[in-house]
Amino acid sequence: MTSKVCFENPFEEYSQDMSNNILNDTKDAISGKFNAKLQNFKSTKLHLLTTEMKDDVFHDGTVYTGSAGLALFYFISSLKNGNSYDTLQNAVEYINIENLRGKRISFLCGDAGPLALATVISYRLGTNRPDNLLDYKTLVQRLLSLISLLNDSPDELLYGKSGYLYALLFVNQYIPGKEVIPANHIEKVVNSILKSGKQFANQMKLKTPLLWQWHDKVYFGAAHGMAGILYLLLQARAYINAIDIKSFIKPTLDWLISQRFQSGNLPSSLNSSNGDRLVQWCHGAPGLVPLCILAYKVFEEDKYLKIALQCGDVIWQRGLCTKGYSLCHGVSGNAYAFLQLYQVTKEPCQLYRACCFMEWCAVERPNTELHRPDRPASLFEGLVGRLYLAEDLACVSDAKFPALTV
């Protein structure tokens, strides 16, 4: 049976004494048998991507729908395999910074993603850097120059300032100890996001000190909305004064949480006419999970973890999306909510749930992807996203939702 947006969950609930081949004996990692399945899935699909689907991989140069998404997969794989030189070289093949158009600022859909990736890979390769890859210092300057687009950019993650903020934090994360991106540069981006949030909140006169819009709507989710913006701001809290965190960011988070449906799911936007339907990373509860987990860590209030767990239950019940397996609006993106919950709670049921959703994505049962993705070889709409999830499941403690968690 299906509804319009999700399949009925066929997996049994986790119990400690259940016999399954998914988790290991100590229930803190996947089993050898399940890992072997994932390794086989990765090798088979990676071969398919780099041969028959190669033209679609190069649809464009972005992280979201293009070749830089596969480059990001190779980069993360190299980190998990001892900074593998060969894997970093593979990543270079899928980064094209020659054709950047200088029109979009974000990591996912703009120039910042390929530039940030090229920067950290160039730094890590050092003297082994190929001739066609610029020195990391030159690349950093190009990344910094994108700030000229700041005032004309939206605030959200996919196309806007929050996506640029992620790119800056990404570079400093993977080139540690050098502060390659100066603090005052990051502060300018943060202050611009806060300024527009304060201005729009004053204009709308709702009971929240920050509010942002995209395409004339107040979106709530991770991709275009408040959950994504607040999550990036909290990750950049070292660059924000304590008053702004206490008086603006925290009460805005509390207001956003108050907008949830009775089910615990998050509406796609303010006064949305869609109803309680969408349970996917871009619109709905999955995008709220990492934000609430981080809020729990930062503010040390149990209510945030409780809400994150409630969101997890919504995703378990309604997260097998009929749209397919994608990170953005599909099952693999929803699986990350369980990984994030496992990381903070260490509860085996959360890891089990993530594995069930991964299995759904890998087995590809007939009629479980009712909407073929526009870009089937991409990171956020297609196959690369499932490979990324499989890679993260092999080392759960290091798992991070791509282009969202620094």
Side-chain angles (χ1 to χ4, degrees):
M1 290 288 294
T2 68
S3 69
K4 290 182 180 179
V5 293
C6 71
F7 295 98
E8 185 176 325
N9 189 335
F11 299 104
E12 59 182 314
E13 290 283 358
Y14 175 81
S15 64
Q16 243 181 336
D17 57 350
M18 75 188 303
S19 175
N20 70 72
N21 296 311
I22 291 180
L23 303 186
N24 65 3
D25 291 341
T26 50
K27 306 291 191 284
D28 59 358
I30 62 175
S31 68
K33 188 171 182 178
F34 191 64
N35 187 51
K37 283 184 180 180
L38 293 188
Q39 294 299 328
N40 182 59
F41 170 77
K42 281 193 299 180
S43 60
T44 302
K45 296 298 188 181
L46 198 53
H47 177 73
L48 180 68
L49 272 169
T50 53
T51 53
E52 295 176 35
M53 300 179 77
K54 193 165 186 176
D55 287 348
D56 193 62
V57 168
F58 285 97
H59 164 71
D60 60 33
T62 69
V63 173
Y64 188 91
T65 51
S67 59
L70 187 52
L72 181 60
F73 167 78
Y74 277 124
F75 172 69
I76 294 300
S77 297
S78 78
L79 297 181
K80 295 176 185 293
N81 295 288
N83 209 26
S84 164
Y85 169 77
D86 290 341
T87 312
L88 283 175
Q89 288 282 16
N90 287 338
V92 173
E93 292 179 30
Y94 293 92
I95 298 176
N96 183 352
I97 59 170
E98 301 303 317
N99 296 325
L100 299 181
R101 291 183 282 180
K103 292 182 178 179
R104 285 182 176 164
I105 198 172
S106 70
F107 186 91
L108 276 170
C109 295
D111 291 4
L115 284 171
L117 263 173
T119 299
V120 297
I121 291 169
S122 177
Y123 174 80
R124 285 172 176 267
L125 284 174
T127 55
N128 292 319
R129 174 172 55 88
D131 294 339
N132 65 333
L133 184 61
L134 295 171
D135 175 73
Y136 84 94
K137 292 178 182 176
T138 303
L139 291 163
V140 164
Q141 291 309 308
R142 288 188 61 179
L143 181 61
L144 293 175
S145 71
L146 290 178
I147 202 165
S148 65
L149 302 172
L150 194 68
N151 292 337
D152 296 322
S153 298
D155 296 285
E156 46 84 87
L157 181 72
L158 221 62
Y159 299 107
K161 299 171 192 174
S162 296
Y164 184 50
L165 178 57
Y166 175 85
L168 302 175
L169 297 175
F170 177 90
V171 170
N172 276 356
Q173 170 74 15
Y174 292 110
I175 306 181
K178 287 185 175 290
E179 201 190 49
V180 174
I181 308 297
N184 65 347
H185 191 90
I186 296 174
E187 287 164 4
K188 284 178 187 174
V189 179
V190 165
N191 290 336
S192 178
I193 296 170
L194 289 172
K195 181 181 178 182
S196 57
K198 292 172 184 178
Q199 288 175 342
F200 189 58
N202 286 334
Q203 181 183 325
M204 293 293 286
K205 302 191 186 311
L206 296 173
K207 293 181 179 179
T208 172
L210 296 172
L211 204 65
W212 299 272
Q213 64 174 334
W214 186 75
H215 284 198
D216 301 321
K217 279 189 177 182
V218 176
Y219 282 99
F220 288 157
H224 300 300
M226 296 179 69
I229 297 168
L230 289 169
Y231 186 55
L232 261 297
L233 288 174
L234 274 185
Q235 289 185 91
R237 61 193 178 279
Y239 304 93
I240 305 175
N241 69 59
I243 294 172
D244 276 339
I245 292 174
K246 181 181 178 182
S247 302
F248 289 90
I249 293 176
K250 188 177 187 296
T252 300
L253 167 61
D254 290 337
W255 179 84
L256 177 64
I257 288 168
S258 75
Q259 301 302 304
R260 289 176 304 145
F261 292 113
Q262 192 170 0
S263 69
N265 193 27
L266 186 68
S268 60
S269 61
L270 183 66
N271 302 321
S272 171
S273 59
N274 286 333
D276 186 358
R277 295 173 65 248
L278 301 178
V279 180
Q280 53 200 47
W281 173 77
C282 50
H283 299 296
L288 193 57
V289 170
L291 172 60
C292 286
I293 290 172
L294 184 54
Y296 165 69
K297 293 176 180 177
V298 171
F299 302 118
E300 298 180 334
E301 293 183 21
D302 289 344
K303 69 175 182 179
Y304 296 118
L305 181 58
K306 184 180 178 182
I307 291 165
L309 288 165
Q310 289 171 350
C311 287
D313 289 338
V314 171
I315 298 162
W316 178 244
Q317 293 156 14
R318 296 161 52 197
L320 294 175
C321 308
T322 58
K323 287 181 180 178
Y325 316 121
S326 73
L327 284 179
C328 185
H329 38 262
V331 181
S332 59
N334 288 349
Y336 269 95
F338 302 130
L339 285 182
Q340 292 152 353
L341 286 167
Y342 175 75
Q343 287 171 336
V344 70
T345 66
K346 304 303 181 198
E347 293 174 355
C349 72
Q350 303 295 346
L351 182 53
Y352 165 77
R353 287 178 170 186
C355 291
C356 289
F357 274 37
M358 176 72 245
E359 185 179 52
W360 178 273
C361 293
V363 173
E364 301 176 358
R365 293 173 181 85
N367 301 316
T368 56
E369 186 177 48
L370 302 187
H371 305 269
R372 180 174 166 79
D374 293 334
R375 300 268 62 94
S378 67
L379 175 61
F380 266 69
E381 292 182 4
L383 182 52
V384 180
R386 285 186 276 161
L387 295 178
Y388 204 104
L389 173 61
E391 188 80 11
D392 268 344
L393 274 167
C395 189
V396 182
S397 61
D398 296 331
K400 295 178 180 179
F401 196 105
L404 179 71
T405 301
V406 180

